[in-house]
Amino acid sequence: MPTYLEEILVSHRARAAADDRELEDLVERAMATPLPRDFAGALGGTVLSCIAEIKRRSPSKGDLDPDLQPELVAKEYVAGGAACLSVLTDSDYFGGSRADLAAAREASGLPVLRKDFTVQEADVVDARLMGADAVLLIVAALDDDSLRRCAARAGDLGLAAVVEVHDERELERALAAGARIVGVNQRDLRTFQVDPERACALATEIPADVIAVAESGIRDAADARRLADAGYDAILVGEALVRAEDRAARLRDLVGHPVGRR
């Protein structure tokens, strides 16, 4: 049976194969759009910050909030002290859209990560075209050459690249590609199971001058504090916030913990 990640990538690669747009034309159009906001700069500091995620559903959990209004959720996240937003734009598996990203970015005034499955350089360019300030590069979804090219293209476009890893080998590949923001996803994208110890186990392997972000399985202040103690600069939280009765209050519980040394 195909894994979640394999199934999603097959779909995205098929779409990429059918994409007959000229890359340089896309780049020219993208460079004419307003400059991205400073995503990396928003995550610096001595206390834990949060990239608050907007998503309607996931392959493993089903519907989280199918009627979610991204502009309203974005404002709740601002009230809770979010440093940045992450917005799902994958429609088939997560119910997201470019319109969700645009609405959330306009309503919040915060830097926004396009959360999607990047498989080619054109996907990176599309991120800027839709108004994103950062793009997600999943190491498990890209070979080394594609990873380097996508990371370089993001830099050329003024986009931050959040390079997502799951283990030491993927972290080595991310750093070799020049990653300046590393996201450690505690959710195995092949099985969608969460290992709550994964991020802490990898923390000391992330250089001190690289922004470290812990992702997935973060539910409460105790989880957030443990990750801050391990040296994470930021956390990326989706499900726990989307499902929360008071999103702003839940977010305030997660941020502000002193960041330990790695």
Side-chain angles (χ1 to χ4, degrees):
M1 293 290 291
T3 66
Y4 284 115
L5 181 61
E6 288 168 347
E7 180 182 339
I8 293 169
L9 290 178
V10 165
S11 171
H12 280 260
R13 286 171 179 153
R15 191 176 296 120
D19 186 352
D20 60 0
R21 299 174 299 169
E22 291 292 332
L23 181 62
E24 293 312 313
D25 289 344
L26 288 177
V27 171
E28 184 176 353
R29 286 173 47 206
M31 293 300 285
T33 64
L35 289 172
R37 296 168 181 162
D38 186 2
F39 187 91
L43 300 177
T46 60
V47 297
L48 188 71
S49 57
C50 183
I51 305 167
E53 188 159 272
I54 294 174
K55 64 179 177 181
R56 301 173 187 276
R57 67 171 184 262
S58 79
S60 61
K61 296 296 179 67
D63 286 340
L64 302 176
D65 186 349
D67 299 319
L68 175 152
Q69 298 181 56
E71 65 278 9
L72 297 183
V73 177
K75 290 177 180 177
E76 291 176 299
Y77 288 167
V78 170
C84 300
L85 301 183
S86 168
V87 181
L88 269 296
T89 58
D90 173 275
S91 58
D92 294 341
Y93 295 91
F94 291 87
S97 69
R98 296 179 177 216
D100 284 352
L101 187 147
R105 187 176 188 273
E106 181 178 0
S108 69
L110 297 177
V112 177
L113 167 70
R114 181 196 182 187
K115 186 77 172 290
D116 212 319
F117 294 82
T118 301
V119 296
Q120 60 170 351
E121 285 183 73
D123 296 333
V124 178
V125 186
D126 279 337
R128 174 150 175 185
L129 283 169
M130 69 180 66
D133 308 288
V135 63
L136 180 70
L137 303 180
I138 301 173
V139 172
L142 298 163
D143 61 32
D144 287 343
D145 181 59
S146 297
L147 180 60
R148 283 192 296 269
R149 285 190 288 105
C150 286
R153 182 66 67 181
D156 290 344
L157 292 169
L159 297 170
V162 178
V163 185
E164 183 176 289
V165 307
H166 300 84
D167 56 35
E168 286 188 13
R169 175 59 186 139
E170 289 183 4
L171 176 58
E172 291 173 3
R173 293 179 56 209
L175 296 175
R180 305 308 304 159
I181 306 174
V182 167
V184 177
N185 195 340
Q186 301 189 115
R187 187 182 306 280
D188 188 325
L189 290 182
R190 296 170 179 84
T191 65
F192 268 55
Q193 297 299 305
V194 171
D195 174 2
E197 302 303 321
R198 187 188 303 263
C200 288
L202 282 179
T204 58
E205 305 299 320
I206 303 173
D209 62 347
V210 172
I211 296 171
V213 181
E215 308 172 13
S216 298
I218 302 160
R219 300 156 299 180
D220 53 30
D223 289 335
R225 189 179 303 109
R226 179 169 53 85
L227 292 163
D229 288 345
Y232 279 90
D233 302 289
I235 51 177
L236 190 154
V237 185
E239 180 186 342
L241 291 176
V242 172
R243 289 187 184 274
E245 193 168 313
D246 185 334
R247 291 170 176 141
R250 174 64 65 87
L251 185 47
R252 282 192 288 269
D253 285 342
L254 298 176
V255 299
H257 304 287
V259 173
R261 295 180 62 184
R262 293 199 299 277

